[in-house]
Every structure is written in structure tokens, then in C-alpha cells.
């Protein structure tokens, strides 16, 4: 029992040290606007699920395995987050980033930051404002970036609809498997990273959020 608790606690400590600097998140958004990593990216439409599947997972692939993108950004050094952000993968990714930037600027709403994030010039303006506020390097924790997707979801699109699936559930399941803009089914990652899910609870990264907080 002691060994089991030790492994659990070590993974909690590992996860809790995968923060990232706000400047890195803005760099990622700039990259998305260039549409080389993710050609279908549309700021007002693309969801966090779209971005995870087509940008975060490919960008965090390392040789035959992968890491959390936050780990790659920090060169493997621990980064303790100032903020932990709760969000839904089904929401627009722009809104997630805009809310985080608004926090950095001390704003209660994110509509103006969302508008600025849609252009490279606007992002440069936001970086200047955050730098002047002393919060450009504030650290955050977001599961999409701080969890290693290569140990969990990169290889699968989840349950596929079958003959027993109701029409309503079929639509919902199919939507999760496709890009919101192009409607093409997401590619899956063929990395060799060992998957750690509920059959390996001590190493799983999806079941420790309460302990992290």
C-alpha cells in the first residue's frame, strides 16, 4: 500500500509541476494563425478538441513517443503554475486563450482580448500590454497542454457509433471525431508511448486533478 501511495503522489507532483508561461500560449496561438501546423484553424470556430487533435498532439510528439506540450516548452524543467484553468474541450479554443489573457490583464471579460487574438498584430499588442503589467510570464495549468496526451488519447478518437447507438448519441459521438471546420475525421497518432489509463491508476494522468489542487 505504501508503494502504491508513493507512485500516486509522485505522479501528482509531476503533473502539478507542468505549468507554462502565458507567453508560450500566445506563441502557440500565433502559430495556429499561420495555419501551417493546423490548416483548418479558424479562430471563431475551432474548438479545443480540434486544436488538441491537430496541433497539440503533433507538436508534442517526441521521436517514437510524446510528452505534455508544457513539458516541451519548459525543456523538462518543473514550472509551478500560478493558476489552474478549468475548461471544456468542446468550447472554442479562442475563448479559452482569451479568458487566460484577460486574467493576465486583470480584466473581468474577454471579448476585447478575443478580438485582438485574431491577428498577429493584435497578439503583439497583447504581449506588450502583458509585459507592461508584469504578467506575460505568469504561469498557468491547462489539461490540454499540461497532461501528456500521448499517454492517454492520442491513439484513439473514442467510442465509434455502432448499431445500438441512438441517433442523437450518434451525432454527438461523430462530432467529437471530426474537425469542426473541415468535418474531416481527425488523424490518430501512431507513437509508441505506453498508454496509462484507469487500468494503471497510479500512472494515469486523468484521475488526479483533485489531489493536484
Amino acid at each position: 500500500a505504501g508503494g502504491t501511495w508513493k507512485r500516486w503522489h509522485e505522479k501528482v507532483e509531476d503533473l502539478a509541476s507542468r505549468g507554462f508561461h502565458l507567453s508560450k500560449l500566445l506563441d502557440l496561438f500565433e502559430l495556429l494563425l499561420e495555419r501551417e501546423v493546423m490548416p483548418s484553424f479558424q479562430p471563431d470556430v475551432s474548438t479545443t478538441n480540434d486544436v488538441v487533435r491537430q496541433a497539440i498532439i503533433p507538436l508534442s510528439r517526441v521521436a517514437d513517443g510524446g510528452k505534455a506540450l508544457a513539458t516541451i516548452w519548459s525543456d523538462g524543467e518543473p514550472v509551478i503554475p500560478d493558476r489552474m484553468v478549468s475548461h471544456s474541450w468542446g468550447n472554442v479554443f479562442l475563448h479559452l486563450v482569451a479568458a487566460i489573457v484577460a486574467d493576465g490583464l486583470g480584466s473581468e471579460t474577454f471579448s476585447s482580448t478575443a478580438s485582438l487574438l485574431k491577428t498577429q498584430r493584435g497578439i503583439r499588442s497583447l504581449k506588450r500590454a502583458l509585459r507592461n503589467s508584469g504578467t506575460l510570464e505568469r504561469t498557468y495549468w491547462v489539461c490540454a497542454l499540461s497532461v501528456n496526451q500521448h499517454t492517454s488519447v492520442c491513439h484513439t478518437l473514442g467510442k465509434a457509433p455502432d448499431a445500438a447507438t441512438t441517433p442523437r448519441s450518434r451525432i454527438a459521438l461523430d462530432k467529437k471525431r471530426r474537425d469542426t471546420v473541415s468535418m474531416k475525421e481527425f488523424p490518430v497518432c501512431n507513437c509508441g508511448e505506453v498508454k496509462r489509463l484507469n487500468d494503471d491508476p497510479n500512472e494515469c494522468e486523468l484521475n488526479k486533478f483533485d489531489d493536484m489542487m
Side-chain angles (χ1 to χ4, degrees):
T4 297
W5 168 245
K6 183 174 183 292
R7 288 176 58 206
W8 179 282
H9 183 70
E10 286 174 347
K11 179 54 69 173
V12 170
E13 291 289 326
D14 176 25
L15 278 167
S17 65
R18 292 192 203 157
F20 57 86
H21 296 277
L22 180 50
S23 60
K24 292 291 188 181
L25 182 60
L26 289 171
D27 289 345
L28 173 64
F29 211 86
E30 283 187 287
L31 186 64
L32 291 172
L33 289 179
E34 293 173 3
R35 295 183 176 82
E36 292 184 11
V37 172
M38 183 178 167
S40 66
F41 182 71
Q42 294 294 335
D44 287 315
V45 181
S46 296
T47 65
T48 297
N49 187 47
D50 295 333
V51 173
V52 169
R53 292 293 181 178
Q54 298 171 98
I56 292 173
I57 287 176
L59 289 170
S60 58
R61 175 77 180 262
V62 179
D64 193 39
K67 300 179 180 180
L69 190 55
T71 300
I72 292 175
W73 285 346
S74 71
D75 293 324
E77 294 297 318
V79 175
I80 304 302
D82 298 314
R83 307 277 198 274
M84 183 177 181
V85 183
S86 177
H87 66 110
S88 168
W89 281 27
N91 290 344
V92 174
F93 187 67
L94 168 69
H95 296 168
L96 169 63
V97 177
I100 294 173
V101 173
D103 174 74
L105 294 172
S107 176
E108 295 182 355
T109 61
F110 63 78
S111 58
S112 60
T113 57
S115 295
L116 288 169
L117 280 167
K118 295 177 188 180
T119 67
Q120 302 281 1
R121 183 177 179 179
I123 292 176
R124 290 193 295 271
S125 174
L126 287 170
K127 284 184 175 180
R128 285 194 299 271
L130 289 163
R131 188 177 294 110
N132 291 338
S133 299
T135 52
L136 182 59
E137 300 307 324
R138 178 177 284 174
T139 53
Y140 292 84
W141 197 100
V142 175
C143 70
L145 300 160
S146 302
V147 166
N148 184 357
Q149 306 301 332
H150 296 277
T151 65
S152 54
V153 304
C154 76
H155 66 302
T156 178
L157 300 181
K159 181 183 178 182
D162 56 30
T165 306
T166 65
R168 188 171 183 175
S169 295
R170 181 181 297 274
I171 292 171
L173 288 171
D174 190 64
K175 184 178 180 180
K176 291 180 180 179
R177 302 168 63 88
R178 297 181 182 277
D179 177 72
T180 307
V181 175
S182 70
M183 295 308 296
K184 293 180 180 178
E185 190 168 272
F186 296 126
V188 293
C189 177
N190 64 355
C191 75
E193 194 73 33
V194 177
K195 309 310 173 196
R196 307 287 190 181
L197 301 171
N198 287 329
D199 57 342
D200 188 0
N202 293 318
E203 294 299 322
C204 178
E205 298 189 357
L206 307 179
N207 59 355
K208 298 179 172 65
F209 296 164
D210 288 349
D211 284 8
M212 279 177 52
M213 291 188 283

